[in-house]
Amino acid sequence: MRICPSFAGTLDTAVRVSGDLEVEEISEFGVQQLFSKAPDIQRKLSELNIDDRIQVFEEMGKIWEERLRKGQLDALKMTLSESTGYSDSLIEQELSLVCSVFDGESLRRSLEASLGNTETLCKFVEISRGEYKRYFPAGPVFIISSGNSLIPPLIPTTISLLTGNMTILRPSISNYNGVIEVYNILRTMNSEKAKLMSEGLAISYFTHDSPTLKYLLTKARVGVVNFWGGDPARLEVSKLVSENPHRPRLIVNGPLTGFVIVDEDSVDEMVADGLAKNVVLYDQQLCSSPTSAVFIGSFEKAKEFANHMVASLNKYGSIFKTKLSEGQIYLIQSARRIFQIKGSLVYSSNDPQNMWTLVLSKGKRVLDEVVSTVTGFNIYFRRRFIEIVVVDNWHDAPTFIKELPYSKAFRGVDKVQTVGLAVSDKIKQDILEDLVNCGVYRIVPVADMYLRSPLEPYDGLNIPSSFTYIVYMRDRALDFNVS
């Protein structure tokens, strides 16, 4: 398999071989070529008004939508299904969501939520009498993205270009072809604005031992490094960036997970359906995917809730099919048996294309004991699996969130990112206060935990402000007397 880079113009490249993968990547000299143009490109991008910048991406979205409608992306759908392991149906949904990334109103609202007045990207704007601010690109920006979905790499890359940065994107192998297909649209557009955006973007895969990757992190005049992923890669990237004499800003989006809290006064078939849908979608590989839950109330009510989930797990699982090996199936069956031995109630499917597992446990998380016994049943292996712990008191719920990063079952996860919440009004405010103190980043309805509003920060940070810096200007003297 050969992986080739995508960029405007001609840059020097080098070919590297890793296993059966042949990678043509930008060379160190190629990066130097690219970065020599960065000041001029970033200046020109910053001179574009924000409407013109957004219009480029709106047009990209329309072209993508038309190609999708005409079936021109069917081959890509098959390729991505094979490389990611996701079903054709899920990849089809992913491809349809690309248009939402380039929605003009969403992009504008995202910028406004982070920067306030978007005109600050183009000129000094008065914020108080005689005081002004302007946002300047902090780049070049180097993005090392994750491979659990096609959409996450598109968001920071698009925001980086929108905020005027020269941008290098290193996608994952699993979603590489999709990312290239999306941004190649930019290469084919005829407008001068699109051409300028294209000149500001380079996409290249780098092997883990790539000299160019090391150069980018340790020596290149990069302004921001945005890394998506966990250890040990995160530790290595952090170490290398610390050696860079240009002191780039390091933005890390680490491994996080989702959690659900429901109570017996608020649950219904819609909440159960929403939780089941989010368990099936992306096989729980998103940072927002629910991988653990608490039910506040009686065990009988919890069983009613579980029975509603069973129907929905079968429904969504039949749409978004998965593939498991015999070894994976054996591991799942072993884990199920131990849960039963430990006294948990296990609901399950033995359909190898939709092998979901739902566990009800009383008062404590049994999963830690199972993981200690069944080697390999870790957070990355567990798919379409969720344990719901039934508790009597809502005060117990936040404790599970605080303890999650330190449990054996969630080793490798930093903490809970997203909480899907469905509780009664009488306890909601108290729980919200506790959740804030737990350090979670998102609290949303259970039904659409996987979806994001344009107004949302990412893991507690606004991407537009992370990719820019503020220049403050004052043209009046302050009233201050020195006696």
Side-chain angles (χ1 to χ4, degrees):
M1 180 181 178
R2 186 180 178 91
I3 299 292
C4 299
S6 172
F7 40 77
T10 302
L11 295 178
D12 189 65
T13 61
V15 176
R16 294 180 56 75
V17 178
S18 178
D20 60 352
L21 187 67
E22 189 175 71
V23 180
E24 183 181 346
E25 59 183 37
I26 305 175
S27 67
E28 292 180 42
F29 180 65
V31 172
Q32 291 166 5
Q33 287 179 290
L34 192 68
F35 280 14
S36 68
K37 305 173 185 176
D40 186 53
I41 288 175
Q42 293 190 163
R43 178 183 59 78
K44 290 177 179 178
L45 285 172
S46 296
E47 289 173 353
L48 288 177
N49 69 56
I50 197 61
D51 289 336
D52 287 341
R53 301 185 209 184
I54 289 175
Q55 187 180 29
V56 170
F57 290 105
E58 283 186 309
E59 185 62 28
M60 283 181 65
K62 291 175 183 176
I63 294 171
W64 181 267
E65 188 174 33
E66 181 71 5
R67 293 184 64 191
L68 191 62
R69 186 182 64 80
K70 290 182 176 179
Q72 295 173 355
L73 300 174
D74 289 349
L76 175 65
K77 181 172 67 175
M78 294 176 61
T79 300
L80 288 177
S81 180
E82 186 175 321
S83 64
T84 63
Y86 294 143
S87 67
D88 290 349
S89 300
L90 182 54
I91 295 299
E92 193 168 336
Q93 177 171 295
E94 280 255 279
L95 298 183
S96 67
L97 286 173
V98 169
C99 299
S100 66
V101 175
F102 300 133
D103 177 74
E105 182 60 27
S106 295
L107 290 172
R108 183 178 297 279
R109 291 176 68 198
S110 177
L111 292 175
E112 288 173 346
S114 180
L115 310 177
N117 189 336
T118 58
E119 292 301 309
T120 53
L121 287 168
C122 313
K123 63 183 181 181
F124 282 101
V125 173
E126 191 170 29
I127 54 175
S128 186
R129 185 177 65 86
E131 297 180 80
Y132 305 79
K133 73 173 180 179
R134 181 172 175 181
Y135 285 92
F136 269 75
V141 173
F142 179 37
I143 301 167
I144 304 174
S145 70
S146 61
N148 56 352
S149 170
L150 173 61
I151 304 303
L154 305 184
I155 294 171
T157 304
T158 300
I159 294 296
S160 180
L161 290 169
L162 265 182
T163 49
N165 290 287
M166 165 73 76
T167 306
I168 296 183
L169 170 63
R170 187 257 196 198
S172 164
I173 281 294
S174 62
N175 58 30
Y176 187 90
N177 289 314
V179 170
I180 292 291
E181 192 81 28
V182 170
Y183 286 110
N184 273 348
I185 292 176
L186 194 59
R187 315 293 192 212
T188 63
M189 295 168 64
N190 294 322
S191 73
E192 289 301 313
K193 295 171 291 187
K195 182 181 178 182
L196 180 57
M197 289 275 188
S198 179
E199 288 176 356
L201 174 64
I203 303 171
S204 178
Y205 183 77
F206 301 101
T207 57
H208 296 294
D209 59 349
S210 163
T212 306
L213 177 61
K214 186 174 182 180
Y215 170 77
L216 272 164
L217 296 174
T218 62
K219 294 180 180 179
R221 193 179 290 274
V222 63
V224 180
V225 176
N226 182 205
F227 175 80
W228 296 67
D231 298 326
R234 172 174 52 179
L235 290 172
E236 182 64 18
V237 166
S238 299
K239 176 181 177 296
L240 293 173
V241 170
S242 70
E243 299 174 15
N244 194 316
H246 303 293
R247 300 290 180 261
R249 184 184 299 172
L250 176 61
I251 310 295
V252 175
N253 295 88
L256 304 167
T257 194
F259 193 94
V260 167
I261 301 175
V262 297
D263 73 357
E264 64 177 35
D265 294 330
S266 301
V267 295
D268 53 28
E269 291 185 32
M270 290 185 63
V271 174
D273 184 79
L275 178 52
K277 177 173 62 178
N278 280 274
V279 165
V280 169
L281 286 179
Y282 298 98
D283 288 329
Q284 297 171 291
Q285 296 305 293
L286 301 183
C287 287
S288 57
S289 297
T291 55
S292 187
V294 162
F295 184 97
I296 305 164
S298 71
F299 202 78
E300 287 304 311
K301 288 289 185 181
K303 287 196 289 185
E304 291 179 18
F305 180 68
N307 285 324
H308 290 311
M309 278 191 67
V310 165
S312 294
L313 286 166
N314 285 326
K315 177 181 70 174
Y316 291 114
S318 65
I319 298 171
F320 303 108
K321 296 178 181 180
T322 189
K323 304 167 187 175
L324 294 177
S325 66
E326 288 186 10
Q328 290 173 313
I329 292 173
Y330 175 78
L331 205 61
I332 292 167
Q333 296 284 23
S334 299
R336 288 172 177 175
R337 284 194 294 271
I338 295 174
F339 273 111
Q340 290 171 328
I341 292 170
K342 298 290 183 180
S344 297
L345 183 59
V346 177
Y347 302 80
S348 61
S349 162
N350 289 320
D351 180 352
Q353 293 186 312
N354 179 32
M355 201 164 181
W356 57 261
T357 306
L358 168 60
V359 176
L360 289 185
S361 300
K362 288 184 181 179
K364 69 172 185 175
R365 185 187 286 123
V366 178
L367 180 58
D368 291 331
E369 301 174 51
V370 175
V371 169
S372 297
T373 305
V374 183
T375 304
F377 198 64
N378 56 48
I379 181 68
Y380 304 106
F381 173 85
R382 298 191 301 270
R383 303 193 176 198
R384 305 195 182 192
F385 167 90
I386 192 164
E387 179 185 25
I388 302 176
V389 181
V390 184
V391 298
D392 297 324
N393 196 313
W394 71 264
H395 293 283
D396 297 327
T399 302
F400 287 92
I401 293 176
K402 291 176 183 176
E403 293 177 349
L404 183 144
Y406 310 104
S407 69
K408 292 180 180 179
F410 293 90
R411 186 168 293 154
V413 173
D414 287 352
K415 63 177 182 176
V416 171
Q417 179 213 62
T418 301
V419 174
L421 191 63
V423 296
S424 61
D425 290 340
K426 65 183 179 183
I427 63 171
K428 186 173 183 178
Q429 289 306 313
D430 290 327
I431 283 186
L432 285 174
E433 286 302 311
D434 272 7
L435 290 178
V436 169
N437 289 320
C438 287
V440 304
Y441 294 129
R442 304 174 70 231
I443 305 169
V444 297
V446 176
D448 61 354
M449 293 173 66
Y450 69 100
L451 288 178
R452 287 184 173 272
S453 159
L455 302 181
E456 284 192 41
Y458 264 77
D459 303 346
L461 294 173
N462 286 309
I463 294 179
S465 56
S466 298
F467 288 172
T468 56
Y469 65 92
I470 302 172
V471 177
Y472 168 84
M473 190 270 286
R474 175 164 48 84
D475 62 7
R476 68 176 179 85
L478 295 177
D479 297 328
F480 181 73
N481 294 319
V482 178
S483 56

